Amino acid sequence: RTMAEEHQRYVVGIDQGTTATKAFRLFNDGEFEPICAFEHQQFHPQPGWVEHDADELLANVHQCLDYAHRVEGLGLCNQGETVVAWNADTGEPVYRAIVWQDSRTQADVERLKADGAEALSLERAGLPLDPYFSASKLAWLLREVPQAKALAARGRLRLGTSDSFFIDRLTGTYATDITTASRTGLMNLATGQWDAELCRLFGVPIELLAPIVPNVHDFGVVERVHAPLGASAVDQQAALFGHGCHARGRLKITFGTGAFALAVSGDAPVRTTGGLLPTVAWRIGRDTTYAVDGGVYNAASALNWVKSLGLFRSTPELSRFDGPSALERGLVFVPALSGLACPYWDRSAAGAWIGIGLDTTREDLVRAALEGVALRSAQAVAALDAAVPVTGPVSVDGGLVLSRYFVDFLARALGREVIVPSSPDLTGLGICQLAFVGAGMGPVATLPDVAPPDRVVTPEAPLSAEQRARFADGVERVRGWRA
């Protein structure tokens, strides 16, 4: 190849996310660029229900592939706990995709908890019982969708997380990657395989589930572009990889629909009692790297809700605040609009502003909302640090980091240096890097650093113990509100 032809060697990574499907390109010389993005419809048929049209998601993946000309290899990352049921013969979904945010199975989960089943889930899967994870949603599809039940009886149902649906439809291979499987509540974290007892607990026949494979794997050829799919991962694990968090104790937070803090824990899972989630970070070849996850249900979704109330109109407004913080002035926002995740796992909690007075302005409310997301994230990081001591600065990405005020306050809430990488698309970068390895273009050690720091924020005045206690008190006040 000539030097010009060498530059044209590239992989494409597709990030099928909660609100949009995006594609990115990584060249062998380290150049990284976004290609396209397509939003999809959100369905809320009942309170607490969140659904996507699985065919629409697949169509958007196909549109992204149309930009992958002469590509060396492909990577795909997914929403995580979102599930699909489809006909093995036709590929047709039998119901909409049930999204990770969906809480329709709360009553089912509570019954399992009352029966003492959470101990088994924590022991085998490393996960608490919560509608967030896939297992109870998969059981709901089998129980409530007649076509799913009929196909299962004939052995013609395919049932799993959205990655397995996409991979099946793109390549004809029925498989799921180990990071996604580790988020279902059905995988044994120690063995990296489906656990028969967990499957019986939820009523999900193990034979319906896709085989579990490494993240870098030969998934087959995507005929639409005549290129191999060589990598698949959960979006947050892909982001962890893209942040360059490869060593134990390195931590990143992605501020998307929710806030997702992950810290690398090394070559063995770390079991904790602090409401954290041990998970698989990635498996490449025979080497498995584990992480600890501390999630917050509402981040950008909380600010989007605040925006829908007319309290602000555009992102630049989220950096224009003067004077003491809302917290310092006694105003707290708890972003528990979908309940509280790590370390509480309390779906009965509700969102709230606390401390509103006649002098409270809309700017105050917006500012408190930003601070609330930062403070909840700091609670998750504190729990992570107790389990796996965090080393070095915290790397952050996602839409909210466009707010300088948010990042500055986050550094204060964490009491740590915060790095904003130059690329906002770390999930896309991570899946491209995994696809790069999967395409045989080089090992992990040779991956170029394409996201140097854009901003490094050192906390000038970390929050006091009294200020942290004020927010913690607000969190306690909203717990059990929906019970």
Side-chain angles (χ1 to χ4, degrees):
R1 292 174 184 260
T2 66
M3 290 184 65
E5 288 173 330
E6 279 294 319
H7 176 76
Q8 294 304 311
R9 297 186 68 202
Y10 69 91
V11 295
V12 165
I14 298 175
D15 174 13
Q16 200 301 291
T18 307
T19 59
T21 304
K22 304 175 184 179
F24 305 87
R25 185 159 40 206
L26 176 64
F27 289 88
N28 62 300
D29 65 358
E31 181 183 349
F32 173 69
E33 62 183 10
I35 303 174
C36 58
F38 303 98
E39 293 187 355
H40 54 263
Q41 191 172 357
Q42 309 287 322
F43 298 93
H44 303 275
Q46 294 186 37
W49 291 31
V50 188
E51 298 176 353
H52 294 157
D53 181 335
D55 277 333
E56 182 186 10
L57 301 183
L58 181 63
N60 288 349
V61 171
H62 281 151
Q63 288 194 79
C64 288
L65 288 169
D66 289 339
Y67 290 82
H69 306 295
R70 301 186 308 278
V71 65
E72 298 277 338
L74 301 165
L76 176 68
C77 59
N78 67 86
Q79 302 175 27
E81 300 78 9
T82 296
V83 301
V84 184
W86 69 103
N87 187 314
D89 297 320
T90 67
E92 179 185 1
V94 301
Y95 190 82
R96 287 179 185 150
I98 303 179
V99 182
W100 60 270
Q101 299 160 303
D102 191 283
S103 60
R104 74 185 66 192
T105 60
Q106 183 65 50
D108 300 331
V109 167
E110 293 301 331
R111 281 192 292 272
L112 288 172
K113 285 184 178 181
D115 291 340
E118 189 160 58
L120 178 67
S121 181
L122 289 168
E123 176 194 348
R124 301 288 182 91
L127 303 178
L129 292 176
D130 193 274
Y132 173 49
F133 305 110
S134 308
S136 62
K137 295 193 279 279
L138 294 170
W140 188 93
L141 286 169
L142 279 171
R143 185 179 70 241
E144 301 294 337
V145 179
Q147 192 177 354
K149 194 180 301 184
L151 286 169
R154 302 197 333 255
R156 305 313 302 153
L157 181 70
R158 289 191 168 167
L159 183 72
T161 40
S162 61
D163 67 316
S164 58
F165 171 68
F166 299 134
I167 293 167
D168 181 44
R169 293 292 300 271
L170 292 172
T171 71
T173 299
Y174 189 39
T176 185
D177 74 82
I178 191 169
T179 60
T180 309
S182 75
R183 311 296 298 175
T184 60
L186 298 176
M187 190 192 89
N188 188 306
L189 198 60
T191 66
Q193 297 299 321
W194 300 123
D195 187 286
E197 196 168 347
L198 288 172
C199 288
R200 281 194 296 271
L201 175 68
F202 285 97
V204 177
I206 198 168
E207 63 272 13
L208 297 180
L209 301 173
I212 299 172
V213 301
N215 296 97
V216 175
H217 181 75
D218 180 8
F219 290 95
V221 172
V222 178
E223 292 299 334
R224 191 179 186 92
V225 290
H226 307 291
L229 178 64
S232 177
V234 174
D235 52 7
Q236 297 311 315
Q237 275 81 336
L240 185 68
F241 199 88
H243 276 275
C245 296
H246 298 163
R248 178 179 168 86
R250 292 295 307 280
L251 182 143
K252 71 88 188 175
I253 312 174
T254 297
F255 292 96
T257 302
F260 301 96
L262 272 78
V264 176
S265 60
D267 58 5
V270 171
R271 307 281 183 166
T272 77
T273 57
L276 299 171
L277 309 179
T279 190
V280 176
W282 47 78
R283 176 179 287 172
I284 300 174
R286 295 183 178 181
D287 297 327
T288 303
T289 299
Y290 293 87
V292 182
D293 174 5
V296 175
Y297 286 135
N298 301 111
S301 57
L303 270 297
N304 288 338
W305 172 75
V306 170
K307 184 179 181 181
S308 75
L309 300 180
L311 297 180
F312 74 98
R313 283 182 281 188
S314 62
T315 300
E317 295 176 55
L318 300 181
S319 293
R320 301 170 186 165
F321 303 106
D322 297 314
S325 67
L327 178 66
E328 289 167 310
R329 290 181 288 114
L331 179 61
V332 164
F333 176 74
V334 182
L337 303 173
S338 302
L340 292 168
C342 174
Y344 304 98
W345 297 104
D346 181 2
R347 287 281 189 166
S348 70
W353 276 286
I354 301 172
I356 295 174
L358 292 174
D359 60 341
T360 302
T361 66
R362 64 182 179 87
E363 289 84 0
D364 294 334
L365 297 174
V366 174
R367 190 175 189 176
L370 285 170
E371 294 173 11
V373 173
L375 288 160
R376 276 288 295 121
S377 301
Q379 288 184 325
V381 170
L384 284 166
D385 186 50
V388 179
V390 175
T391 60
V394 175
S395 188
V396 299
D397 71 308
L400 285 183
V401 306
L402 296 174
S403 164
R404 296 183 71 89
Y405 180 81
F406 175 77
V407 175
D408 292 345
F409 188 86
L410 177 66
R412 295 183 63 196
L414 294 172
R416 296 177 180 274
E417 191 173 75
V418 172
I419 291 180
V420 181
S422 54
S423 172
D425 301 309
L426 275 299
T427 301
L429 174 59
I431 196 60
C432 278
Q433 289 176 330
L434 289 168
F436 191 96
V437 176
M441 295 173 69
V444 173
T446 65
L447 290 171
D449 180 10
V450 297
D454 179 59
R455 285 185 70 203
V456 178
V457 180
T458 301
E460 294 183 2
L463 299 182
S464 67
E466 180 183 359
Q467 290 165 341
R468 296 177 191 280
R470 172 172 286 172
F471 181 75
D473 177 58
V475 171
E476 290 303 318
R477 288 172 185 266
V478 305
R479 296 193 66 187
W481 189 264
R482 295 191 179 98

